[in-house]
Each structure stands twice: as structure tokens, then as C-alpha cells.
Amino acid sequence: MSWIGHVAASAPEIFIFLAVAIGTLLGRVRINGFSLGVPACILVIAVVLGQVGAIVIPPLLKSILFGLFVYTIGYRSGPEFFASLSLQTLSQVALALVMGTCGLIAILIIAYTLHLGPGTAAGLGAGSLTQTSMMGTASGALEQLGLSADELKQQQANIAAGYAVTYILGYILVLLFVPFVAPRLMGVSLKEEAAKLEAALLGGARAKPGNLLYKKFQARAYQVLKGTGRTVNEIEVQVGRRAVVERILRHGEDIELRADTRLQAGDEILLAGPSAVIVAAASLIGPEIEGEHVMRSVPGEVVDVYVTARDLHGRTLSKIVDRFGDATRGVFLRALTRRGQDVPVTPGTQIYVGDVMTLVALNEDLKRVVPKVGQPLRTSDRTDIAFLATGLAIGLLVGLLGLTIGSVPLTLGGGGGALIAGLVCGWLRSRRPTMGAFPPQAQQALSDLGLGGFIASIGLATEAGKELAWTLQNYGAYIDDTQPEPSFGLNAEIGPNGSFLTQFEADWGFPMEQRVRDNSPWSRDIQRLMIALYVVDNNSPSSIGGGGAPLQPLAGPI
């Protein structure tokens, strides 16, 4: 135990990483499809590890971790957020305002009725709404209330307690409400509505489990026999699925490619499109040939395009194809990702600013389409640290700005400033993909570590406890075994300035004498410190404090 206490006092950051590691592993465990989630498990593990000793986590570290988490969330959402600022998204804005307002009113009513403090009320809201980020913003808001140092720490500790109590119920009740209660209130059947939505997205096509054909494309060469006399347009229409003729060779020479060009027997053509129709095209055109000489001078490419065109925001793929017309000829969408997640590709799939479209086409065809969609995304495995740090610094500076209305201080705080910085930086990145590289893998790592580390760092509750821990570690104390009953306490003499108890309460804003049953942050800190203390039985003039090099200079002779 002495070794664990030494580690807790000397390197408390170890316990942050332990809490994050163990909590993350537990958060991944599912029992009958249910899991507590990573944030809640990290918090529980952090509370358990906090009992091993006086773990002092610098407030600066908490601010940095939470700032990284919030900045990353903003960076991911920036392009879509700014693209959504239009009349078409007023319904979504109204829904967000209604939900946020209802949640706030409910929390205020419960806090007033049960006489809850601001910290407990904030934790109640964060847990019941399963919004872990509220813990950080509430913690920053508490700092603007002018509370004493110890009262501030106590309220911040209450945030974690309120969150831990309500998070599980908030999570479970939503899971039960959505499938069982909400459909009854709306008078709908989830299965029927899901089937209707699937049919609408498929455009009447029959759903095929594991169907990847819409995403998979290729080019093959054919020798014209059965297709003799038909025009290029007729061949493309008969093959279907937007397949296109990319090249025609006649007697080894290129023939001008037009929609009305008629094919002759012996022509060699290059056909590109979805694999399902390309492999079956031989019955319409003629036998497939090796065609290396046909494909050699026709370079193709697969390119990821970051969608930045605002006029495409919210439009379906079929409407985009109609809007671009012949410019999309020979260009195929192989995959679509949104915030790192694959999106099913159908004619009814809606495209949003910030999506990444993986396009397959010949180089010349790509040059027509890419500028209309957005910017080619040249992925980098390195984060632009200068861009990241500058954005965070500016955001935190903005968070310091405040406005007082009456007696109520209004401010974004560090969390709000970092969020706005992330939104703006993510939007700038979407406009100019050559700047501010922040790979998705790095985003996920910073988001998980920032949130997990912030939650795990909610440890010792009082500054007085931290100073007492440092004093006992560096100077020690004498044992006064005069208590009439099993108990422990701290004795202090009356000095020139009067009673130390009066001075302590004036400095910290709470009485030094408290009972264990009070279960206050100060009483819990004292219990942790008492468990971590050890008796030195060889103290002497030649072995002061039990020997070894003193951590602090010895006091002069009296």
C-alpha cells in the first residue's frame, strides 16, 4: 500500500491512463446487446482508483484534455454545420432548440424542487441527457460564479456524482422509449416505416443483402460483332446502369467518340461501368478481348473528393446526376463516407457538405466533375500541429470574453471557445483542403483520449486537501495519541494571529472540524490522507524523519 500511495502522490497521471484504459475496455463489453458506454465506465474506474491515495490532478490538465475533445468534435462538424445554415434546415434548428429548452427547464424544476446545488444539477443534466460534454462546460461555468476555491471544487465533484447516478437510467430509458413508447405516441409501426424508407431509398429496386455491385466498377475491352451497326448511345442504353463507351479503335486507330458514332464489325471498344452489367455486355456487343493495347493509353483513377459545393447540400444522387448532365458521363461513385462512417449508396442517397465521395473514372472525365463537387482530398498521415494549436489558442481566448446581464455572467468558457474554434477550423479545412490536415484516425484518438482523460481526472475535491497532502509528504507531523475514542484529527496551536481553526475557515470558506458522516469533500480527503500516512519509529537528531535526505530545508534552532 505504501508503494501505491507513493505512486499516487508522485505520479498521479498514471492513474488517469489506467482509468482510461480499464474504463475503455469495460465500456466495450456488451451483455445482451447492452453496454454502459466508455465515459460512464471511465468515471466509475476513476472513482475507484481515487481511493488509493491523495491523487492531485492539476486543473490545467483537465482544461487541456477537455479543450482537445471539444475542438475535435467541432472540427468534424464544421463543414456540415455551416452548410446547414439555411432556410431549408429551420426545422432541424427548431427541433434542437425545443429539445435543449425542454431539457433545461426539466433540470431547473428538479433542482429547485429538491434543493440541488449547481454542480449536482449540472451532473443530473449531463447524465440524464447522456451528454458527457456538459460536464466540461458546466465546470467552466461554475468558475464564473465567484465561488470560493473549496466550494468550487466541491461543486465540480458533485457534477461527477450527479452524472454517475443518472447516466445509466438516461441511457436505458431512451433505449426503451424509442422502440416501445414513441411509436405508440406517433401511431406508427417502426417495421413498416423502415420498409417504406428502404423502398424509397432503393428507388423501387429489390434489396439484396450484401449487395456491393453499385459500388464496384471496372472497364473491359470488347470486339464488336453482335453490336455492328448500332450507335454508341444505343449500346450504352442497352447495357444500362450508366455504362459508357470510353474508346473506339478501328484498324488500330482512334475513332472520334460521339453519341451517334456507328460501330463496325471488328471495332475494339473500351466499356466502363458497374461490374454487374459490364461482364454481361458480351451478349450485346461481341466477345471480350484481352485489350491491353486498348486500355494502355487511357489512364483511370480513384479519387476521394471532399464535398464543398453548397448547392449540392441535401440533394439526392439522382438529382445531382440530372443537374450535371453529360458532365457525369463515365464517372461513378464507388463509396460515400460521412464522419468516417460508410453511407449506403443508392439513387436516393442525400449528399451533404463534408461528405467524402470516392469517384472512379478516367482522368479526363474526373476533370469535368471534381471541380463541381468539391476538392480532391489528398490524405496525409500527419496532423498540422501549427493549425491545430493556433485554432485552439484563439478559441480559448474567445472563451474568456464575457457579458454580464444584471447579476448573471454570460460567457462561452474554454469549452465553448474551443468548440467554435473547431467549427471554424473544420470549415476552413473544407474550403482549402491543402491546409489544416487532421486525419480521421488522429481525430478519433484525440477525442477519445481527451474525453476519457477529462472524466478520469475528476479526483481530489479540495485545494486544502492538496496542500495538506504536500505538507505531510514534505514535513511530516507528530502523533498525539490522546483521543478518548477511535478517531483521528489534526491538532494546531494558537498562534499570534489567533486560532488556526478561524484562520483556516477564513482562508478556505469551510470549517476544518468535520465529521466522517458529513461525507464532504474535505472529510473524504482527510480519510484518504490518513490511510496514506505511515508511522516513523526511528526519529532522532541523527535520523530526522526516519533518515534519508530531507525533502525540504530543516527549520532553524529555536
Side-chain angles (χ1 to χ4, degrees), residues 32 132 160 179 279 332 348 365 388 451 498 522:
N32 294 328
T132 309
V279 297
F332 305 97
D365 295 335
L388 171 66
L451 177 60
W522 171 247

Side-chain angles (χ1 to χ4, degrees), residues 196-208 211-217 241-242 314-321 332-338 342-351 355 357:
K196 292 179 182 178
L197 178 60
E198 182 182 33
L201 291 176
L202 291 174
R206 186 177 180 181
K208 297 181 180 180
N211 183 15
L212 300 178
L213 300 180
Y214 196 91
K215 297 182 180 180
K216 191 175 181 180
F217 306 93
R241 296 286 297 277
R242 298 187 62 245
R315 296 182 182 272
T316 63
L317 280 175
S318 59
K319 291 183 178 179
I320 292 175
V321 171
F332 305 97
L333 178 61
R334 190 175 75 175
L336 178 67
T337 56
R338 182 173 299 150
D342 287 335
V343 177
V345 178
T346 68
T349 299
Q350 290 180 308
I351 303 299
D355 290 350
M357 304 175 71

Side-chain angles (χ1 to χ4, degrees), residues 213 218-220 222 239 271 273-283 286 288:
L213 300 180
Q218 58 179 291
R220 294 193 178 189
Y222 292 91
V239 174
L271 188 67
S275 300
V277 296
I278 295 299
V279 297
S283 60
E288 182 179 357

Side-chain angles (χ1 to χ4, degrees), residues 290-321:
E290 184 174 349
E292 183 179 354
H293 61 289
V294 181
M295 302 181 187
R296 184 178 301 166
S297 58
V298 186
E301 189 177 0
V302 178
V303 61
D304 291 331
V305 181
Y306 198 97
V307 179
T308 60
R310 290 180 59 89
D311 57 341
L312 302 185
H313 189 75
R315 296 182 182 272
T316 63
L317 280 175
S318 59
K319 291 183 178 179
I320 292 175
V321 171

